[in-house]
Amino acid sequence: MFDLVVSDGTLIIPGMGRCAADVGVTDGRIMAIGADLGPAKQTLDATGRLVLPGIFDPHTHIGNERSYEEEAETETRAAILGGVTTIGIFLRSMEDSYSLHLPAFRHAMDTRSYVDSVFHPQIFTSEQISEIPKYAEEFGIRSFKFYMSGLPGIVKSITDDVLLHGFRTVAALGPDAIACVHCETGVLVDQAREALKLRKPEGTLADWAEAHPPEAEALAIQTALYLAKIAGAHLYVVHLSSREGLEVVRAARRAGARFTVETTTPYLGLNSDDPNGFLIKMVPPVRAPEHHDALWAGLAEGTINTVGTDNTSRCLATKQPQAGLHGARPGLPALGTHLPALLHYGRERGVSLETLVDSATAAPAKIYGIYPQKGTIAVGSDADLVVVDPDLERVVRGVELLGMSDFSPFEGKTLRGWPVATIKGGDIIARDFKIVAPANGRYLPRRAPGRAADVPWVPRPA
Ligand SMILES: [Zn+2]
């Protein structure tokens, strides 16, 4: 007898397409897919609904505003309510060795998180670079992030020599290891931001894009591609935001370069004319509609491989949208709206459901080494599923998304296509916009292929 059968839904299976089938789950794993699976302790009727693999958002930040432990709970609660069952977390330690912090970060994800997680430490110092093999060995980390352009008062930029050293160190871990890069050329951004302060002490969200000119992104992608090539590292461009950046990516792909490109649902769903103004101030910025159009074209044609959120939760009191062009702080909560925004705007753009789902499940899971445990619906995979009502319309209210934030960048917008149940590790955790079971998330160590590729499913510690 199965623990759970999700019955009569339309499955969207990345790489395979749609099929009408039931899914049988036991001990947190998918055990059968088909018709008339037999008895189950619990049945979830998905008639008229889509059943997707649990969403994997590879790009989140946790603990930027409140403690890491608190946000590990609150922000993953918003995630699971929104159909996200696994996240990649960009960890931050500006100076210290990550060895001092990784046990606590991991403990939080094993005890408080509603979703499973992988880590991408953000690398700032040569000591941290020298310890990359240790982080890989001791914590199963296979992905690391580098900022070519930092954020004033938040993170610092690294120089090209440090980036090259970092790439070489990541490449030495093996072909599955990933170097994630925030691609903006720091000096161009710094110059543009200072010039904007002088030229426009006040302004609109559209003006903010001038502080991060598209050429800074395009040039940085070229530099990162070149350095990654000579180091033999797999480059993962995080949060592509501009048409010019996309053009560089297209040209490099035509020339045979192999690398991965991500954009985010705020960039796909919002543009700089948005009436929510500085609520959606972020870095790089949400840009003018022509960039928005380019990103959708890039996703539809497969130039952009993955979609994340860049979730960096804030509350109105710290976001301070009233502080205007230079005073409002970057960063916004986006986990709770990730899947509805992808479905809603993707449908408006005529992008196939299969492409949308792949970009948010299988594509990032393959890149980050957790496929097919995550990112698909297959016998043996973790039973992480999201049941979606494709026609349900809901007005976004940030306070209803159950994160710590009191706003959403999509505040007041009506989105069509919402998760009505999220199953994580075989348990129905969220249903009809309520949390209905305890958190069961765990941290996922990754191993180099050929060593212990199949991470065993271990029940969460009591
Ligand atoms: Zn980010």
Side-chain angles (χ1 to χ4, degrees):
M1 182 182 302
F2 295 104
D3 292 342
L4 170 68
V5 166
V6 181
S7 69
D8 301 299
T10 299
L11 313 187
I12 309 290
I13 305 178
M16 295 181 68
R18 305 177 191 215
C19 68
D22 298 348
V23 181
V25 171
T26 297
D27 292 335
R29 284 197 173 190
I30 295 170
M31 304 302 273
I33 301 169
D36 304 320
L37 295 182
K41 293 177 197 159
Q42 189 180 15
T43 300
L44 181 65
D45 180 8
T47 305
R49 308 265 161 89
L50 304 173
V51 180
L52 318 181
I55 303 302
F56 171 30
D57 174 0
H59 190 151
T60 73
H61 302 264
I62 295 290
N64 278 12
E65 188 154 313
R66 299 190 183 167
S67 74
Y68 187 92
E69 287 71 19
E70 185 177 351
E71 289 192 22
E73 181 172 329
T74 59
E75 304 322 286
T76 64
R77 190 172 63 204
I80 200 94
L81 198 73
V84 175
T85 53
T86 304
I87 59 174
I89 305 171
F90 288 106
L91 302 175
R92 181 185 304 165
S93 174
M94 293 295 303
E95 304 285 346
D96 289 344
S97 162
Y98 278 96
S99 296
L100 300 174
H101 303 291
L102 279 165
F105 289 149
R106 178 175 181 165
H107 182 72
M109 302 322 292
D110 279 334
T111 55
R112 297 188 68 166
S113 174
Y114 284 88
V115 303
D116 290 349
S117 50
V118 296
F119 289 159
H120 326 292
Q122 303 183 137
I123 300 297
F124 300 102
T125 71
S126 23
E127 183 203 14
Q128 291 172 342
I129 291 176
S130 69
E131 289 187 345
I132 280 175
K134 180 173 142 113
Y135 306 150
E137 180 67 28
E138 294 179 5
F139 291 90
I141 294 171
R142 312 294 299 169
S143 41
F144 301 86
K145 181 178 180 187
F146 304 89
Y147 279 89
M148 295 176 76
S149 171
L151 304 168
I154 303 177
V155 298
K156 59 191 177 191
S157 307
I158 61 166
T159 48
D160 291 347
D161 57 320
V162 176
L163 186 60
L164 179 58
H165 182 202
F167 279 172
R168 286 186 164 134
T169 309
V170 170
L173 295 180
D176 66 308
I178 301 294
C180 307
V181 180
H182 176 132
C183 289
E184 289 188 287
T185 297
V187 288
L188 293 185
V189 171
D190 293 344
Q191 191 278 332
R193 190 177 47 238
E194 294 311 312
L196 182 65
K197 278 183 190 162
L198 294 174
R199 198 169 64 250
K200 293 181 181 168
E202 293 176 46
T204 64
L205 180 71
D207 296 320
W208 175 241
E210 294 176 27
H212 291 264
E215 57 268 29
E217 183 171 73
L219 178 60
I221 294 170
Q222 287 186 325
T223 304
L225 278 165
Y226 178 70
L227 295 176
K229 183 179 174 187
I230 54 180
H234 186 120
L235 172 66
Y236 181 101
V237 176
V238 301
H239 58 44
L240 184 79
S241 69
S242 71
R243 185 183 54 190
E244 287 80 348
L246 182 74
E247 286 306 323
V248 171
V249 170
R250 280 194 181 124
R253 287 264 165 75
R254 281 195 295 269
R258 294 192 62 215
F259 61 111
T260 305
V261 177
E262 169 201 272
T263 192
T264 71
T265 40
Y267 296 147
L268 291 171
L270 304 167
N271 67 55
S272 57
D273 298 334
D274 196 278
N276 279 332
F278 295 120
L279 273 190
I280 60 177
K281 182 177 175 183
M282 62 189 289
V283 171
V286 165
R287 299 185 190 277
E290 62 266 28
H291 297 281
H292 198 225
D293 296 345
L295 295 176
W296 274 111
L299 183 65
E301 75 196 18
T303 303
I304 293 173
N305 310 102
T306 65
V307 181
T309 60
D310 204 0
N311 187 94
T312 305
S313 291
R314 299 205 181 283
C315 294
L316 287 171
T318 50
K319 178 77 183 170
Q320 297 191 293
Q322 73 284 357
L325 179 59
H326 301 286
R329 296 180 70 198
L332 43 80
L335 274 160
T337 48
H338 183 46
L339 178 58
L342 192 65
L343 295 174
H344 177 92
Y345 296 104
R347 173 152 45 187
E348 276 189 2
R349 296 276 174 168
V351 179
S352 78
L353 190 55
E354 287 80 357
T355 295
L356 299 173
V357 171
D358 181 71
S359 72
T361 59
K366 287 173 182 169
I367 290 297
Y368 286 114
I370 55 172
Y371 182 91
Q373 182 188 5
K374 305 293 185 185
T376 190
I377 303 174
V379 171
S381 294
D382 286 0
D384 297 352
L385 300 165
V386 52
V387 180
V388 168
D389 181 341
D391 296 312
L392 180 62
E393 295 193 350
R394 245 183 134 220
V395 179
V396 176
R397 303 279 177 225
V399 292
E400 296 174 357
L401 300 176
L402 300 193
M404 60 93 153
S405 184
D406 49 2
F407 74 95
S408 164
F410 295 92
E411 194 75 31
K413 297 192 195 310
T414 301
L415 301 181
R416 181 175 170 209
W418 285 82
V420 291
T422 310
I423 297 153
K424 221 292 285 156
D427 297 334
I428 302 172
I429 306 292
R431 193 161 188 186
D432 297 325
F433 308 104
K434 292 186 186 67
I435 299 294
V436 296
N440 70 357
R442 47 188 278 282
Y443 172 69
L444 304 174
R446 293 166 284 163
R447 296 293 166 206
R451 291 189 52 204
D454 182 31
V455 178
W457 198 87
V458 182
R460 168 193 181 85

